[in-house]
Amino acid sequence: MDVAELSPAQARERFRGGERVPTAGWCRGYAQANLIAVPKRLRYELLLFAHRNPQACPVLDVGEPGAWSTGLFSGDLRTDLPGYRLYRDGAAVADLGDVVAEWREDLVPFLIGCSFTFERALLAAGVPVRHLEAGTNVPMYVTSLPCEATGSLSGPLVVSMRPVPEALVPTAVEVSGRYPMVHGAPVHAGDPAAIGIRDLSKPDYGDPVEVRAGEVPLFWACGVTPQAAVLASGVEYAIGHLPGHMAITDARNDDFLVI
Amino acid sequence: MDVAELSPAQARERFRGGERVPTAGWCRGYAQANLIAVPKRLRYELLLFAHRNPQACPVLDVGEPGAWSTGLFSGDLRTDLPGYRLYRDGAAVADLGDVVAEWREDLVPFLIGCSFTFERALLAAGVPVRHLEAGTNVPMYVTSLPCEATGSLSGPLVVSMRPVPEALVPTAVEVSGRYPMVHGAPVHAGDPAAIGIRDLSKPDYGDPVEVRAGEVPLFWACGVTPQAAVLASGVEYAIGHLPGHMAITDARNDDFLVI
């Protein structure tokens, strides 16, 4: 069965069973989300950081301390994503297939919008999505652009990249711009060096994709940004999704369509 | 000097000097804001409440605990508004001209968008604004519509009302809708009873205005909503602005214009 045809419940069952794959293209029509869970004492800081950096960190939902489901995600946040990254004292210490043992009682889960949510709309508008064609993870890069800090959280903006034929750049901007809660329009088009990216072939997260002649690399704010802030800010304990390995929510892509 | 011509600094000086008046029409071009300051232990709940009720509670800025200025408001939040309301244990206990003595060290001030910000745009589009014509405070009502609650904060939606000639209702909706960070488009048009308002001539806050034949009352989400939540939730201590007596910020109205 094509993974695009799976329901969120079916996809979660496969991830719970051990499948560890990027989720771009899975469960057509359902919105995907980034996960970042932090200790309760940091939940205000994280919510404020998200509020101050809304394009990178659009908050779709917040759970209660220790909860592993939310209104938007009826599965088990500890097992139903295809991959997790564990952070201690500002370092990534493990990539895991589940985080049942790591899910502390005081962890507060945040679900943050994901640009995979507007990829169907890009395709429908005739904009190719290279990593979907290649069956790989989207390439993501840590930029030199600082987020707006809070008292204890700061860090760089992380972006995802999709190469788009020049003639389709306006369409890609317009279509993604209709989804402001899942990062909206790109933050940059063109020269990667202008935002501190040295080598497109070496993404910080995910897989590289080919940028063909006549294509412009478009960069969208990315929901891995909170994980970069966890790293940069020395947060004592946090759990994120493995970049590109998202929470597939019960919400529809079109729930986040504006206009 | 026409109050519309004053700078925010000049207006603040007058309020600091004791002038207690509604601020609709003051400082043309400058955005106005609602104030709600709560104890630090409630700041997460309030930020989450605002996030869950974005049309009523668009957060423009948040200060540090005990701070009385923010990036958006370079004056003194304790003295530079024309009026304040003090809450204890879920009751309004005093209306004050300043809150220097009441501004506790652990109070966290939130500035919430205000619909006065789009009134110039309504006028420019030919939509009359009755309370500006009358030189009175805007009428505000507590509705029967519940806000989305958080663990400890809940309460009803508060709305402001402006009567608009039928033919201009679409214009009023469209123009205000371009300002989503200051409440955006109305939440209701027409029958007040449908949202639990019994008598338009008896607003819960502000002054009544005449609704003429051929006019439709339009209701906008209002930034007094957090004060209604403070009341309904029995919050132990909070300071709000006196409804209609706003913080005049350093930001421009057009900073909140979208499209």
Side-chain angles (χ1 to χ4, degrees):
Chain A
M1 191 175 185
D2 180 358
V3 296
E5 305 301 328
L6 296 175
S7 72
Q10 290 171 318
R12 291 173 196 153
E13 191 182 341
R14 285 175 61 162
F15 302 148
R16 202 158 55 239
E19 196 161 346
R20 194 184 297 193
V21 291
T23 51
W26 283 60
C27 302
R28 178 164 46 234
Y30 286 93
Q32 302 200 16
N34 299 269
L35 170 69
I36 185 73
V38 295
K40 183 177 173 183
R41 75 159 196 90
L42 275 172
R43 63 182 180 168
Y44 172 74
E45 291 282 343
L46 184 57
L47 189 57
L48 187 61
F49 182 83
H51 178 75
R52 289 182 175 171
N53 298 282
Q55 198 163 5
C57 311
V59 176
L60 303 186
D61 207 1
V62 186
E64 294 299 312
W68 51 78
S69 290
T70 77
L72 218 59
F73 187 90
S74 60
D76 186 329
L77 285 170
R78 306 169 304 171
T79 57
D80 294 0
L81 279 65
Y84 298 86
R85 186 159 283 176
L86 180 66
Y87 296 89
R88 282 184 205 273
D89 299 324
V93 294
D95 288 350
L96 302 164
D98 75 74
V99 287
V100 171
E102 291 74 19
W103 200 265
R104 295 183 180 174
E105 273 189 9
D106 77 332
L107 277 184
V108 177
F110 288 70
L111 294 178
I112 306 284
C114 170
S115 57
F116 291 169
T117 304
F118 59 60
E119 289 183 339
R120 292 284 166 195
L122 290 177
L123 292 174
V127 178
V129 178
R130 184 67 32 80
H131 64 271
L132 286 178
E133 294 166 1
T136 54
N137 198 352
V138 68
M140 292 162 273
Y141 305 87
V142 176
T143 73
S144 57
L145 305 173
C147 288
E148 195 183 336
T150 68
S152 65
L153 288 179
S154 61
L157 177 69
V158 178
V159 293
S160 63
M161 190 277 286
R162 293 163 186 81
V164 171
E166 286 174 347
L168 289 171
V169 167
T171 303
V173 171
E174 190 185 354
V175 168
S176 58
R178 292 178 193 147
Y179 293 84
M181 281 304 286
V182 291
H183 305 306
V187 294
H188 184 62
D191 184 15
I195 56 173
I197 300 172
R198 292 188 184 181
D199 187 346
L200 281 186
S201 73
K202 293 177 182 164
D204 295 291
Y205 308 99
D207 303 313
V209 295
E210 185 189 2
V211 182
R212 297 177 189 159
E215 290 183 338
V216 177
L218 294 186
F219 299 91
W220 278 267
C222 175
V224 173
T225 299
Q227 296 192 41
V230 160
L231 281 173
S233 310
V235 169
E236 70 269 24
Y237 196 79
I239 294 174
H241 67 291
L242 192 63
H245 300 62
M246 316 307 293
I248 299 179
T249 76
D250 301 300
R252 308 290 306 200
N253 293 343
D254 287 353
D255 294 347
F256 302 104
L257 174 64
V258 171
I259 295 174
Chain B
M1 189 176 187
D2 180 357
V3 296
E5 303 301 328
L6 297 175
S7 71
Q10 290 171 318
R12 290 172 196 154
E13 190 180 342
R14 285 174 61 162
F15 302 147
R16 201 160 53 241
E19 195 160 346
R20 194 185 296 194
V21 290
T23 51
W26 283 60
C27 301
R28 180 166 42 235
Y30 286 92
Q32 302 200 15
N34 299 270
L35 170 68
I36 184 73
V38 296
K40 184 178 173 183
R41 75 159 195 89
L42 275 173
R43 64 181 179 167
Y44 172 74
E45 291 282 343
L46 183 58
L47 188 57
L48 186 61
F49 182 83
H51 178 75
R52 289 183 175 168
N53 299 281
Q55 198 163 5
C57 310
V59 176
L60 302 186
D61 208 0
V62 185
E64 294 300 311
W68 52 76
S69 291
T70 77
L72 217 60
F73 186 90
S74 61
D76 186 329
L77 286 170
R78 306 169 304 171
T79 56
D80 293 1
L81 279 65
Y84 299 86
R85 185 158 286 175
L86 180 66
Y87 295 89
R88 282 185 206 271
D89 299 324
V93 294
D95 288 349
L96 301 165
D98 75 73
V99 287
V100 171
E102 290 75 17
W103 199 266
R104 296 183 180 175
E105 274 190 10
D106 78 332
L107 277 185
V108 177
F110 287 72
L111 293 178
I112 305 284
C114 170
S115 57
F116 290 171
T117 304
F118 59 60
E119 289 183 338
R120 292 284 166 195
L122 289 177
L123 292 173
V127 177
V129 178
R130 184 69 31 79
H131 63 271
L132 286 177
E133 294 166 0
T136 54
N137 198 353
V138 68
M140 293 162 273
Y141 305 87
V142 176
T143 73
S144 56
L145 304 174
C147 288
E148 195 182 336
T150 68
S152 64
L153 288 179
S154 60
L157 177 69
V158 177
V159 293
S160 63
M161 190 278 285
R162 293 163 186 80
V164 172
E166 287 175 347
L168 289 170
V169 167
T171 303
V173 172
E174 190 185 353
V175 169
S176 58
R178 292 178 193 147
Y179 294 84
M181 282 303 287
V182 292
H183 305 305
V187 294
H188 183 64
D191 183 17
I195 56 172
I197 300 171
R198 293 188 183 181
D199 187 346
L200 281 185
S201 75
K202 293 178 182 163
D204 296 290
Y205 308 100
D207 302 313
V209 294
E210 184 189 2
V211 182
R212 296 176 189 160
E215 290 183 337
V216 177
L218 293 186
F219 299 92
W220 279 266
C222 175
V224 174
T225 298
Q227 297 193 41
V230 160
L231 281 173
S233 310
V235 169
E236 70 268 25
Y237 197 80
I239 294 173
H241 66 291
L242 192 63
H245 299 63
M246 316 308 293
I248 299 180
T249 77
D250 302 300
R252 309 290 302 200
N253 294 343
D254 287 353
D255 294 346
F256 302 103
L257 174 63
V258 170
I259 296 172

